[in-house]
Amino acid sequence: MKSALLFAFTAMVLLAQVDPGVRSGPAGAGTPIAGMTAGEQDFFTNHAVPAFNEVEAVADGLGPRFNLNSCAGCHAQPAVGGSSPASNPQVANASSMAPGNTLPPFLKTNGPVREVRFIHNPDGSPDGGVHDIFTITGRPDAPAGCAITQPDFSNTANIIFRIPTPVFGGGLIEAITDTAIQQNLASDPQGRKAFFGIRGHVNTSGNDGTVTRFGWKAQNKSLQIFAGEAYNVEMGVTNENFPNEREGDPNCATNPTPESPSGFNVGSTSPADILSFMGFMKFLDQPAPACTGAACSPSIQNGQNLFLQIGCALCHTPSLTTGLASSAALSQKQANLFSDLALHHMGGGLADGVTQGSAGPDEFRTAPLWGIGQRIFFLHDGRTSDLLQAILAHGGQNSEAERVVDAFQALSRSQKQNLLNFLRSL
């Protein structure tokens, strides 16, 4: 009897669909885009790449509160510019980077890099802002008398997490026109979006109404704003986009502000860091899939067809074309991002309770899927490393993806496996 049950269980496991896991082989990402001018190549190689990899100290503006001390530490998988690596640098570097701090339990060695936001303020009003995990207290380069403490993370019901988004192909995303994004969102061939209940809307700038597109809720308009905000919020470095310290203790905030001026620093021929970060993201090429067309296995080809048939591509638009850009390398190019860059209601299961711009508590930008074959952690909070579980998490009541997930669930086991194999080929 036991042997029969074991055989049945083994057969069920063998027949069940599984996430093939992180694709082996070359990264297929992290390289500069083709077609740059000699000047652009020089800027990318000699300024942008070193700045993105630089480890910041207090004298550079680190802190007083921060989440990590370098861009490349968060954006590392499968190459610099990517997403959270397999070994969390927040844990690995904590003793030297933040020696006066306690490592919170939600940071794990094999877990994702995390940013913390509080849903509500102590008085119950909406918060939504980032509360940096670490402080410079206890560092040998901290100013004398600096003794600020970490936030209180004990109320786990009030905490939501965000993980790093890959920045590959950032210049291509920036060069897609507002009109192209809006027209793609409005299009509904054969009424398939209406059938599946997919609506969506763009997030926009409150000042000029233009389409914003970077970040988990598409809250940032440009790479320069995206870079400036991250420098200030994630590392505590003030800059001319975000010139104010996020800590008021004068014993800790001792550097003149902005700590990283825009333009060119006095007496230096090097651009300011936020311009270098912007240039790094701008000229990173889009990730290359493991195969295309007939070069792919029958399973991957079948999975690609199913991706279209069951409605995944209605939000994860396979490609959009850029407009005229200041760089020929980015002008009128096909960006195979698998995203419409729009916001969609994802239901209570994924809701984070945070509003950013016109993105409501359960709305998120359609995450680009290029490079997902080598990504380790999924969804905005990194709750899973299993691509199958990430797909299923898109379903549920009030999610625009509910009917698509139902269609996925209706597939045979082999069809589901084909779809997973296709996604891991990207």
Side-chain angles (χ1 to χ4, degrees):
M1 180 68 177
K2 289 183 179 179
S3 297
L5 287 173
L6 179 62
F7 176 81
F9 176 76
T10 303
M12 181 177 69
V13 170
L14 291 175
L15 287 171
Q17 67 287 337
V18 294
D19 178 3
V22 177
R23 190 178 76 237
S24 61
T31 56
I33 197 166
M36 288 193 290
T37 65
E40 290 167 341
Q41 291 173 341
D42 174 76
F43 176 77
F44 182 85
T45 302
N46 296 315
H47 298 291
V49 172
F52 203 84
N53 282 280
E54 183 182 6
V55 175
E56 307 287 351
V58 173
D60 304 313
L62 180 71
R65 299 183 182 275
F66 64 100
N67 286 322
L68 202 66
N69 55 0
S70 75
C71 300
C74 291
H75 299 278
Q77 172 66 28
V80 175
S83 56
S84 190
S87 177
N88 188 346
Q90 290 174 305
V91 177
N93 300 334
S95 61
S96 59
M97 177 180 69
N101 292 242
T102 300
L103 197 67
F106 52 75
L107 292 182
K108 306 293 184 183
T109 298
N110 61 348
V113 171
R114 278 177 160 164
E115 161 196 281
V116 176
R117 292 174 184 261
F118 290 169
I119 302 171
H120 298 105
N121 291 305
D123 64 2
S125 61
D127 184 345
V130 176
H131 292 260
D132 288 329
I133 297 169
F134 302 114
T135 76
I136 60 174
T137 299
R139 286 177 58 104
D141 58 350
C146 180
I148 54 174
T149 59
Q150 294 169 272
D152 180 2
F153 297 121
S154 61
N155 183 7
T156 55
N158 194 41
I159 289 176
I160 62 102
F161 300 115
R162 298 274 177 87
I163 65 171
T165 57
V167 298
F168 302 133
L172 293 170
I173 291 176
E174 188 172 54
I176 298 169
T177 65
D178 289 12
T179 299
I181 294 170
Q182 291 164 328
Q183 287 180 344
N184 174 68
L185 181 62
S187 67
D188 190 14
Q190 291 82 51
R192 299 193 74 222
K193 287 183 181 178
F195 172 79
F196 280 102
I198 292 170
R199 302 171 300 279
H201 64 96
V202 295
N203 206 343
T204 56
S205 166
N207 291 322
D208 60 12
T210 55
V211 175
T212 53
R213 60 197 69 190
F214 295 105
W216 282 105
K217 297 212 174 198
Q219 68 269 21
N220 287 321
K221 168 66 179 177
S222 68
L223 290 172
Q224 185 168 334
I225 295 295
F226 189 58
E229 182 185 49
Y231 209 20
N232 185 229
V233 171
E234 308 298 342
M235 285 189 271
V237 182
T238 58
N239 52 81
E240 288 194 0
N241 284 352
F242 293 84
N244 300 317
E245 289 281 13
R246 301 180 70 241
E247 168 58 48
D249 189 334
N251 291 320
C252 299
T254 58
N255 290 333
T257 58
E259 292 156 313
S260 179
S262 63
F264 284 77
N265 298 316
V266 176
S268 172
T269 57
S270 297
D273 286 343
I274 59 170
L275 296 183
S276 293
F277 301 155
M278 176 190 70
F280 179 79
M281 296 184 286
K282 181 174 182 176
F283 292 117
L284 268 186
D285 202 359
Q286 59 187 308
C291 62
T292 56
C296 295
S297 69
S299 172
I300 291 173
Q301 292 182 58
N302 290 335
Q304 182 175 14
N305 291 333
L306 289 166
F307 184 85
L308 300 174
Q309 289 171 16
I310 69 170
C312 302
L314 297 176
C315 293
H316 291 282
T317 304
S319 68
L320 293 170
T321 303
T322 66
L324 291 174
S326 59
S327 171
L330 303 169
S331 246
Q332 298 180 320
K333 304 294 184 182
Q334 183 171 301
N336 302 313
L337 69 169
F338 288 89
S339 172
D340 59 7
L341 300 176
L343 300 170
H344 296 274
H345 289 283
M346 300 309 299
L350 287 179
D352 64 359
V354 172
T355 296
Q356 290 181 277
S358 63
D362 75 336
E363 290 183 303
F364 292 92
R365 180 190 72 160
T366 303
L369 298 182
W370 55 10
I372 198 172
Q374 293 182 309
R375 212 169 298 168
I376 299 173
F377 305 103
F378 301 114
L379 305 174
H380 64 278
D381 51 11
R383 68 180 65 179
T384 183
S385 291
D386 187 329
L387 189 52
L388 175 61
Q389 294 305 312
I391 292 172
L392 298 179
H394 283 59
Q397 190 174 10
N398 299 322
S399 170
E400 292 180 42
E402 180 180 9
R403 292 182 184 175
V404 175
V405 174
D406 288 345
F408 173 79
Q409 290 283 60
L411 297 175
S412 68
R413 288 193 175 104
S414 63
Q415 287 176 316
K416 291 176 184 175
Q417 189 63 60
N418 289 340
L419 184 50
L420 290 167
N421 292 345
F422 164 65
L423 291 173
R424 281 300 193 181
S425 77
L426 295 178

